[in-house]
Amino acid sequence: MKTNAAKRNKIDIVAITPVLFLLVLVIFYSVSTNNFFSITNLINIGRQISITGIMAIGVTFVILLGEIDLSLAVILSFSGMIVSGLSLGRYFGMNPMPVWLCIIITLIIGALLGAIAGFANAKLRIPGFMATLAIMYMSKGLMLMLTDAQPLFGLPKQLTYWGSGYLFDSIPVIIVVFLIVFVAASIVLKHTVFGRNIYAIGGNAVAARMSGINVVKYKIIAFVICTTLSALAGILMVGRIGSGQVTAGEGLDMQPIAAAVLGGTSLMGGKGTVWGTLLGVLIMGVLVNGLNMLGAGTEVQSLATGFVLFAAVAFNMAVSKKNA
Amino acid sequence: MNYNDFALVAKSITKDYGANRALDNVDLFLDYNGVHALLGANGAGKSTLMKVLAGIVNEYEGQIYLNGKEIKLTSPHAAMAHGIGMVHQELSVLPNITVAENVYLNRFPKTKLGTVDWNKLYDDCTKILESLGLSIDPRMMLGKLTVADRQMVEIAKVLSMNPRIILLDEPTSALSEMEIQRLLELIRTLKKNHSIVFITHKLDEMLAVSDKITILRDGKLLDTIDVVDKTNPSEKELVSKMIGVSSGDLSEMFPQKSKETGEVILEVEGLTNKGVYEDISFNVKKGEVVVFTGLKGAKRTEVMRAVFGADPFTHGTIKVRGEKLKTVTIQNAVKSGMAMVTEDRKGEGIVPLMMVKDHISMSTISESARAGFINKEKLGEKAKTYVDKLKIKVHSINDLITSLSGGNQQKVVLAKWLAANPDILILDEPTRGIDVGAKIEIYKLIRQVADEGTAVLVVTSELPEAIGLADRLYVMFEGKMIGELSEKDIDTDKIMHMMFGQRIGE
Ligand SMILES: Nc1ncnc2c1ncn2[C@@H]1O[C@H](COP(=O)(O)OP(=O)(O)OP(=O)(O)O)[C@@H](O)[C@H]1O
Ligand SMILES: [Mg+2]
């Protein structure tokens, strides 16, 4: 009995603290501003965090392996340009394609980029940091060649629907997509063989290999999941800003990674959850949104985000050290 | 008692891990010179007590007196400053730097300019290695050494700090017979002017060098006995004290060998990895326990790793059930029914952040899943079955593997592969760090899986174990196959000769 109680307490501190912190933030903003705790603003926050959230969930898979993906933001921009251009028939003298086909092609290209990075990492043993940095530069190059850095306007409604449309005239589609990705990812990580093997590999790749786990295959799949979700985020982004922009991903390179780590995912691999990542994304989103409502500028928002990251990770380290 | 009469006194030490009491009011009195052995089953608290003395575990109740004065051991650094050095049960040396850097980590000799004096570093290291009778190149990357050599480097590292009190936590478990003798010799020399605490599960070693033996059971101090000579106290007496029931005759440690074996299931022909091992051929039959023995450096582990697909080889064929394996990878080996428990538990066996139940199903997780989705109940049941079967000491199957004692971690790694019901089970030093009681259980288990038709390959450097287990025995020496002995030909002298490279009949 005592064991259970002791265990529960231990787990609680780690899991509950981010939730408490989020609650404190929400209460503070609700009291100190007029409009923070309104349906409109809450939905607004949801829309703001969906894109980072989807990327953060993707990169969680890679971080769980003890690797990192630096190509997220560029893949987002690149996919946005691909999907926009294809739907308008701008490339290689092709005719405009149906939107569903454009989306599928874009996701496949996103997946391919991840497969290359994963192959480079798992098979050629290039550190994920370098492999994805290379992919990042290549994607950027290809994107600029393809588009001449020109924005694309006049996109079909069916395309922008995913980023700016509403379900039943009230629920933003983008939030629904985010939630679906979240639920799917948490099921995959928690309840499937694939998910458990990701944790095993991240915890000790040699032991996993010696247990007969196909480490190369799982690593590649993890990178594919990560970049495909970035491509999906790119498609949603096009809808949110209403045009294809080569600069769409600016400022999003590190944000998803920060959110995942804020949510307790260890950069050393083997430890973390999507639920934690969701909390990380929410904390960062709410923090910035509330500051905005208080009239604070980007400089204050940036400073505050930095402080929160610092404190949260220091806290996580202190707790895990104590439990060790 | 006057605490001044002792080099170190640990008084009423109690240590809790959550609700789990690892040490319960334990006293330990270390003489100024001599060897004090600690005896106890896996999980009895031996390592925990050492870690308290080494300043690694620093939240505990009780007092520690050094030369009669109470001291506080708040960190490994503080312990070292008081002249207490510890050789860990799990290897703690770093693979990616040289041997010399490991030995003198953080204490490098400096030149006048303040840079590292590499020449002196290597010279000093060579000296200390030589004093241990080792011919290891201090410039070598540590990761290139065998587990046994790494263990010796770890000992060299501690000795280089000139400690007064030396704590040795199972230093012999990774060593082969000859190295053990050398280490015991070294301990005999050191004990003349050092106070040594020595943990081992091998009673003959313990009786050979110790002056006193303290027995722990379930975290409690049971008794401290003076060692009169090699046979007093007797091994039997020690075992019964340690396990708590009077154990049967120790000669019945090994179960009956099998009378019948089936057809050949694994056949290896001319396996060669240029410069490592050459022309290795052997086979294993269903239901047979085949032992590979030899000195360290015989490359037995390397051969087994190649057969299991973990490392490449240059020539040779591996046939399973008469069919040649085309591409030898771990996945293919596992598919063909092979399993392998590796010798380096920390590096290759366990995933520190994972729970016991996840470890047990690590190789067989698909069996507890449908269409990729895991059935939690099934997974838990399987874990429970093996925890019971192997008598693994855990509080729950959700315990982190790192919270188990060394011997119990080894059992979990074994359970992982037993769960796979392999046709061919390769065990590389399977009883390393396992207590006598548990050893007997593991021998029984090995025989049981063999009787169920599994072909078992055991690599071991312990002669009694080799002889007690083998239906057939191969001896290797420096990468070559020296010979094969069938059950009726197995005898200690013959094996000893072969271990040093003499072919029988020569
Ligand atoms: N970090 C830890 N967290 C929780 N429990 C622990 C931890 N370390 C050890 N224990 C528990 O303390 C008890 C004593 O462990 P210890 O490692 O001292 O055993 P030991 O006598 O050295 O065994 P072995 O012969 O197997 O090495 C065990 O029940 C073990 O599970
Ligand atoms: Mg121990």
Side-chain angles (χ1 to χ4, degrees), chain A residues 2-3 6-7 187 190-193 196-197 199-200 203-204 206-215 269-271, chain B residues 19 305 308 310 330-331 342 346-354 358 362-363 365 369 372-374 376 399 416-417:
Chain A
K2 206 179 149 200
T3 323
K7 272 228 174 80
I187 291 175
K190 195 133 190 235
H191 297 283
T192 68
V193 172
R196 300 325 293 175
N197 283 349
Y199 284 97
N204 183 347
V206 183
R209 181 171 110 88
M210 291 303 286
S211 298
I213 295 173
N214 190 337
V215 175
K271 200 175 115 195
Chain B
R305 288 178 61 91
F308 189 57
I330 298 179
Q331 276 95 45
T342 56
K346 192 182 181 191
E348 304 185 330
I350 67 165
V351 184
L353 294 161
M354 262 172 39
D358 289 327
M362 210 159 130
S363 299
I365 191 161
F373 283 86
I374 294 166
K376 291 252 150 81
D399 286 357
K416 168 177 85 183
W417 282 118

Side-chain angles (χ1 to χ4, degrees), chain B residues 47 89 169-170:
Chain B
S47 296
Q89 177 173 12
D169 194 353
E170 297 194 31

Side-chain angles (χ1 to χ4, degrees), chain B residues 17 20 22 41-48 89 170 201 393 402-408:
Chain B
Y17 285 110
N20 173 14
N42 295 132
K46 305 178 296 293
S47 296
T48 307
Q89 177 173 12
E170 297 194 31
H201 287 294
K393 195 181 167 203
T402 40
S403 75
L404 305 192
S405 76
N408 283 300

Side-chain angles (χ1 to χ4, degrees), chain A residues 75-135:
Chain A
I75 290 184
L76 177 137
S77 312
F78 190 22
S79 324
M81 294 314 286
I82 295 172
V83 84
S84 312
L86 288 179
S87 69
L88 296 172
R90 286 295 169 82
Y91 305 136
F92 313 118
M94 286 189 289
N95 289 326
M97 285 185 199
V99 168
W100 62 268
L101 189 58
C102 302
I103 291 180
I104 288 176
I105 292 175
T106 307
L107 292 178
I108 290 177
I109 293 176
L112 270 177
L113 292 171
I116 298 170
F119 180 83
N121 175 247
K123 199 83 188 169
L124 309 180
R125 298 179 187 256
I126 302 174
F129 184 96
M130 279 316 288
T132 56
L133 196 63
I135 291 287

Side-chain angles (χ1 to χ4, degrees), chain A residues 81-306:
Chain A
M81 294 314 286
I82 295 172
V83 84
S84 312
L86 288 179
S87 69
L88 296 172
R90 286 295 169 82
Y91 305 136
F92 313 118
M94 286 189 289
N95 289 326
M97 285 185 199
V99 168
W100 62 268
L101 189 58
C102 302
I103 291 180
I104 288 176
I105 292 175
T106 307
L107 292 178
I108 290 177
I109 293 176
L112 270 177
L113 292 171
I116 298 170
F119 180 83
N121 175 247
K123 199 83 188 169
L124 309 180
R125 298 179 187 256
I126 302 174
F129 184 96
M130 279 316 288
T132 56
L133 196 63
I135 291 287
M136 187 272 269
Y137 281 117
M138 288 189 236
S139 308
K140 198 168 182 173
L142 285 175
M143 172 172 75
L144 294 177
M145 279 196 246
L146 200 62
T147 63
D148 272 337
Q150 296 304 310
L152 296 169
F153 295 102
L155 303 176
K157 277 258 157 13
Q158 299 101 302
L159 178 57
T160 51
Y161 169 81
W162 294 99
S164 59
Y166 287 87
L167 218 57
F168 313 120
D169 287 334
S170 55
I171 312 164
V173 175
I174 193 169
I175 296 182
V176 177
V177 175
F178 174 43
L179 288 180
I180 292 173
V181 169
F182 167 73
V183 171
S186 60
I187 291 175
V188 164
L189 276 181
K190 195 133 190 235
H191 297 283
T192 68
V193 172
F194 170 79
R196 300 325 293 175
N197 283 349
I198 291 284
Y199 284 97
I201 295 169
N204 183 347
V206 183
R209 181 171 110 88
M210 291 303 286
S211 298
I213 295 173
N214 190 337
V215 175
V216 172
K217 177 175 104 184
Y218 284 105
K219 275 194 161 180
I220 293 177
I221 298 178
F223 275 99
V224 166
I225 290 177
C226 181
T227 54
T228 309
L229 287 179
S230 287
L232 175 65
I235 296 166
L236 301 179
M237 186 62 117
V238 162
R240 249 179 86 67
I241 54 183
S243 58
Q245 302 276 353
V246 290
T247 54
E250 253 167 39
L252 288 178
D253 319 72
M254 293 315 247
Q255 220 177 13
I257 296 170
V261 176
L262 184 60
T265 304
S266 162
L267 283 169
M268 310 297 286
K271 200 175 115 195
T273 57
V274 207
W275 168 243
T277 300
L278 174 68
L279 279 175
V281 173
L282 276 171
I283 289 175
M284 285 175 77
V286 167
L287 183 73
V288 168
N289 173 280
L291 285 173
N292 234 332
M293 305 217 78
L294 284 172
T298 44
E299 69 284 0
V300 178
Q301 295 171 16
S302 198
L303 195 63
T305 307

Side-chain angles (χ1 to χ4, degrees), chain B residues 88-343:
Chain B
H88 292 270
Q89 177 173 12
E90 303 295 343
L91 298 174
S92 62
V93 279
L94 307 170
N96 51 348
I97 57 179
T98 64
V99 169
E101 286 171 273
N102 267 289
V103 171
Y104 288 98
L105 197 64
N106 204 20
R107 299 173 295 134
F108 297 147
K110 299 224 175 74
T111 62
K112 285 197 191 90
L113 295 171
T115 56
V116 176
D117 187 343
W118 289 99
N119 290 331
K120 184 164 165 28
L121 176 68
Y122 291 132
D123 288 348
D124 287 356
C125 187
T126 310
K127 264 183 224 140
I128 194 138
L129 290 172
E130 273 170 5
S131 74
L132 293 175
L134 298 171
S135 54
I136 301 171
D137 178 5
R139 289 176 172 78
M140 189 116 115
M141 285 294 158
L142 188 110
K144 295 231 169 79
L145 302 184
T146 60
V147 176
D149 279 343
R150 284 188 220 182
Q151 180 74 65
M152 294 308 280
V153 170
E154 177 126 18
I155 293 170
K157 175 177 176 179
V158 170
L159 287 181
S160 75
M161 302 182 207
N162 287 318
R164 263 290 303 138
I165 297 172
I166 304 169
L167 314 174
L168 301 169
D169 194 353
E170 297 194 31
T172 58
S173 67
L175 306 186
S176 62
E177 200 54 40
M178 226 174 52
E179 297 155 321
I180 292 177
Q181 291 314 324
R182 213 160 58 202
L183 181 63
L184 294 183
E185 207 40 59
L186 179 75
I187 292 178
R188 281 194 198 98
T189 317
L190 288 172
K191 80 175 187 177
K192 290 186 190 125
N193 46 14
H194 288 86
S195 179
I196 298 173
V197 183
F198 181 36
I199 302 182
T200 177
H201 287 294
K202 297 175 196 155
L203 300 173
D204 51 340
E205 288 170 6
M206 183 176 285
L207 289 165
V209 295
S210 307
D211 302 296
K212 282 189 177 149
I213 300 177
T214 284
I215 303 173
L216 294 178
R217 193 199 301 160
D218 291 331
K220 294 194 189 64
L221 176 77
L222 215 71
D223 204 355
T224 296
I225 315 175
D226 288 322
V227 178
V228 183
D229 61 39
K230 271 188 177 183
T231 49
N232 183 6
S234 71
E235 295 195 4
K236 205 168 151 185
E237 185 185 338
L238 290 175
V239 173
S240 57
K241 277 216 163 123
M242 166 188 143
I243 308 181
V245 288
S246 112
S247 71
D249 193 349
L250 276 180
S251 64
E252 282 163 25
M253 217 167 147
F254 296 96
Q256 276 269 295
K257 297 197 176 176
S258 58
K259 284 162 211 84
E260 286 168 55
T261 51
E263 72 265 29
V264 171
I265 182 158
L266 172 72
E267 177 142 37
V268 174
E269 275 167 14
L271 200 70
T272 300
N273 191 1
K274 282 265 157 60
V276 187
Y277 49 82
E278 236 149 275
D279 199 19
I280 305 293
S281 302
F282 62 92
N283 61 58
V284 198
K285 302 188 187 85
K286 277 188 171 171
E288 191 184 29
V289 178
V290 170
V291 168
F292 267 65
T293 191
L295 301 175
K296 82 150 187 180
K299 309 292 183 218
R300 295 160 300 167
T301 295
E302 285 75 0
V303 169
M304 294 306 153
R305 288 178 61 91
V307 171
F308 189 57
D311 292 333
F313 53 90
T314 44
H315 302 281
T317 55
I318 297 166
K319 284 190 200 156
V320 179
R321 292 179 209 87
E323 244 175 85
K324 191 182 155 193
L325 288 187
K326 287 201 187 68
T327 40
V328 188
T329 62
I330 298 179
Q331 276 95 45
N332 284 345
V334 171
K335 251 183 235 146
S336 73
M338 275 194 234
M340 174 164 177
V341 175
T342 56
E343 99 188 292

